[in-house]
Amino acid sequence: MSHVNRRAFLKAGAVAGLATVPGLARAVPRKATAKRCILISLVGGPSQLDTWDPKPAAPTNYRGPFASIQTKIPGIQFSELFPKLAASADRLAVVRTVTHPYAPVHEFGLQLLNTGRVFRDGPAAPNLGSQLVKNGQFELVSSGWIDCGIPIPVGLETKRPEPGGFAEQCKAVVELLDRGWQFLAVPMYHTVFDAVTWDCHADGGSLASTLGDYKDTVAPLFDSAFTGLLNDLSDRRLLDSTLVIACGEFGRTPKLNATGGRDHWTGCWTAFVAGGGVRGGQVIGESDAVAGEPKDRPVQLADIAATIGYAFGKEVPGCAGTPVTELF
């Protein structure tokens, strides 16, 4: 005790005491247990209203065409397009107030999600995985519209999967974890042009994806593949030590556009976090009545990157975010 000053001792005692007070136990986060990470970029930017933050009481031109269903988290609903995720929601932490202050373009959001910072057209920042783990083998993706210097793992994502390939990727990443990989960055799509993706402008041209495509293709694919990934990790007893994050680079406009689609929106959207010591069955943040802005607890997109570092017990150099410690 001679080497511990009185202030430090009282502070430590106060923090320990909080954990025993009913209703305040969550003020002290559990220790993160991540040894591995799977970071899934939902390229194109899912519509928050038509996926995991529906607003059934909003006007028709905001709430969209889909009904809501109850999840396993009391009082929390998802879109009817995600019955498997709704049934597995007790294993997820749902972050409903992701936001960022930059222009609503794909590149800025992907940079923030994969590196923790925006570097525009300057020198590329290193991928999170290359800074957090020892066996991070990465290469740059320089073709297509993703030309913003984001490193991703060799031998998996560079296959440029066609729509539907995401399910195979989710199976493959579990095998790679078994072979010793520690960090896998998995983009669900590699382009938003002339392809069915989350980028639901419904403009009839090269960005023709619609909310109808969500119903027919995109949502069933993600609903099945992502829950299957969690099941595979759980069956192999890897989920507790593997942080799994699924997040888009932005959300979509709360109000439907003239063609019934939704355009880019950085004000508010939803992410999933599971495994790696994360407490499932919780919701971080609440959006406003039309899911356009955070009502409380905004989570900057760079905070997601900082949280990954926190889960590994490390700080991400140059990251502009702050860890979301209440996830743990």
Side-chain angles (χ1 to χ4, degrees), residues 215-238:
K215 180 179 180 180
D216 296 336
T217 304
V218 182
L221 172 60
F222 183 75
D223 193 42
S224 179
F226 189 74
T227 53
L229 173 62
L230 296 182
N231 289 337
D232 286 349
L233 290 171
S234 180
D235 290 344
R236 300 194 190 203
R237 298 183 179 180
L238 291 172

Side-chain angles (χ1 to χ4, degrees), residues 198-220:
W198 297 106
D199 203 30
C200 59
H201 293 282
D203 72 352
S206 62
L207 297 172
S209 294
T210 67
L211 292 179
D213 291 321
Y214 273 29
K215 180 179 180 180
D216 296 336
T217 304
V218 182

Side-chain angles (χ1 to χ4, degrees), residues 175-197:
E175 298 297 330
L176 290 174
L177 293 180
D178 265 346
R179 285 161 43 190
W181 284 61
Q182 293 176 275
F183 194 102
L184 294 162
V186 184
M188 186 170 175
Y189 299 105
H190 281 272
T191 182
V192 295
F193 297 111
D194 300 309
V196 174
T197 74

Side-chain angles (χ1 to χ4, degrees), residues 9-28:
F9 177 75
L10 292 175
K11 181 178 179 181
V15 172
L18 282 176
T20 65
V21 177
L24 290 181
R26 292 184 180 180
V28 181

Side-chain angles (χ1 to χ4, degrees), residues 110-167:
L110 288 168
Q111 288 178 8
L112 284 165
L113 181 60
N114 285 272
T115 74
R117 67 183 104 162
V118 164
F119 48 85
R120 302 179 188 274
D121 296 326
N127 182 281
L128 293 169
S130 66
Q131 301 187 70
L132 296 175
V133 303
K134 294 180 179 179
N135 67 342
Q137 296 179 330
F138 300 93
E139 68 179 9
L140 295 179
V141 173
S142 58
S143 62
W145 67 276
I146 304 179
D147 59 357
C148 46
I150 298 172
I152 59 174
V154 173
L156 179 65
E157 284 68 51
T158 52
K159 292 178 181 177
R160 301 289 187 272
E162 295 298 320
F166 177 64

Side-chain angles (χ1 to χ4, degrees), residues 245-309:
I245 293 178
C247 184
E249 65 270 33
F250 45 53
R252 314 302 300 189
T253 48
K255 189 175 182 179
L256 294 168
N257 64 26
T259 56
R262 299 189 194 269
D263 301 317
H264 300 179
W265 185 259
T266 62
C268 193
W269 71 98
T270 302
F272 288 137
V273 188
V278 169
R279 290 186 293 109
Q282 64 168 321
V283 177
I284 304 294
E286 180 183 357
S287 63
D288 63 17
V290 294
E293 302 289 342
K295 183 178 178 181
D296 60 25
R297 186 53 177 105
V299 173
Q300 294 295 322
L301 184 53
D303 294 348
I304 301 294
T307 301
I308 296 173

